[in-house]
Amino acid sequence: MKTMKTLIAASVAAASMTMIAAPASAELSASASVASMYLWRGFDLSNGAPAVSGDLTYSTGGFYAGIWGSSGDDSAGQEVDYYAGFATEVGGVSIDLSVWNYVYPGSSAGFVDNGDTYLDLSEVILGLGFGGVSFTIYDNVAGASSYNYYTLGYGVGSLSFTLGGTDSDNEDSNYSHFDVSYAYNDSLSFTFSQMIDEDNDDDLKFVVSYSLPISM
């Protein structure tokens, strides 16, 4: 946890120095997507059913905030996410620090973690990238039991590879997965996802997703 706080503090300091020289330009963007399943960190949350989602983001001078909504998962129903963050680049390293709140307005079940139920979930997310390599830390700050989720990714051309895993206070809930994605174009993509741990669903998952920007 101490390492996480130190890394975030260093990132914010570097981002602040860059922000002073960066001209502010406001932009409002939106998109809509449909996928053959709701794949979330290696899990099929929609139980094989298609999922529809959309987002609206306002950004200016590196800062951004927005809302993302989905038809939801099979147990908690509709999902609405609120987020705000700051993204910049320092010495060729991309830095993205944000806070996300996941809400399930249509369900009293909310987010379920290891048998416990929470009405919502919040994370602080720090993403770093250099060249084709990326590393992201998701730190649970509210809701659910304490955990960190990590991803290590590499992209080359239209292909991307992602290794994800959790580090939780409850060791029984730890798992890892590996994803391979291919972007046919800016809208159409295909993803294969495989759980690595024997204790979790070991079926190979295949997802087709299609996304379109919405003119604002």
Side-chain angles (χ1 to χ4, degrees):
M1 186 64 69
K2 182 178 180 181
T3 303
M4 173 68 177
K5 291 181 179 178
T6 302
L7 190 56
I8 290 177
S11 300
V12 172
S16 299
M17 290 186 291
T18 304
M19 180 185 63
I20 296 174
S25 57
E27 180 182 355
L28 187 64
S29 60
S31 68
S33 304
V34 60
S36 57
M37 71 169 64
Y38 185 177
L39 182 67
W40 186 77
R41 302 179 185 179
F43 288 100
D44 173 15
L45 295 187
S46 61
N47 196 25
V52 178
S53 63
D55 69 271
L56 179 66
T57 302
Y58 175 81
S59 58
T60 178
F63 290 97
Y64 61 89
I67 182 172
W68 181 89
S70 171
S71 53
D73 62 50
D74 188 53
S75 60
Q78 181 184 7
E79 177 184 341
V80 179
D81 302 344
Y82 303 93
Y83 54 89
F86 180 78
T88 188
E89 184 173 311
V90 180
V93 177
S94 62
I95 303 169
D96 191 332
L97 179 64
S98 61
V99 178
W100 285 68
N101 184 230
Y102 309 86
V103 180
Y104 303 87
S107 172
S108 59
F111 180 80
V112 179
D113 176 58
N114 195 39
D116 295 324
T117 301
Y118 306 88
L119 292 180
D120 55 36
L121 176 71
S122 297
E123 293 178 331
V124 173
I125 303 174
L126 174 64
L128 303 173
F130 183 78
V133 180
S134 62
F135 177 68
T136 308
I137 305 172
Y138 302 72
D139 185 19
N140 166 234
V141 293
S145 57
S146 179
Y147 69 86
N148 287 327
Y149 173 73
Y150 305 91
T151 63
L152 178 64
Y154 179 72
V156 53
S158 299
L159 283 172
S160 61
F161 307 87
T162 303
L163 177 64
T166 58
D167 180 16
S168 172
D169 288 345
N170 181 359
E171 294 185 0
D172 292 337
S173 64
N174 289 337
Y175 73 96
S176 56
H177 66 95
F178 183 69
D179 298 351
V180 178
S181 296
Y182 172 73
Y184 178 76
N185 52 36
D186 291 340
S187 299
L188 182 63
S189 63
F190 307 89
T191 299
F192 289 94
S193 181
Q194 177 67 61
M195 284 288 186
I196 299 175
D197 308 83
E198 295 181 357
D199 294 337
N200 287 290
D201 179 12
D202 59 357
D203 291 338
L204 179 66
K205 302 173 184 66
F206 175 65
V207 185
V208 180
S209 59
Y210 189 81
S211 176
L212 281 178
I214 299 174
S215 300
M216 303 299 294

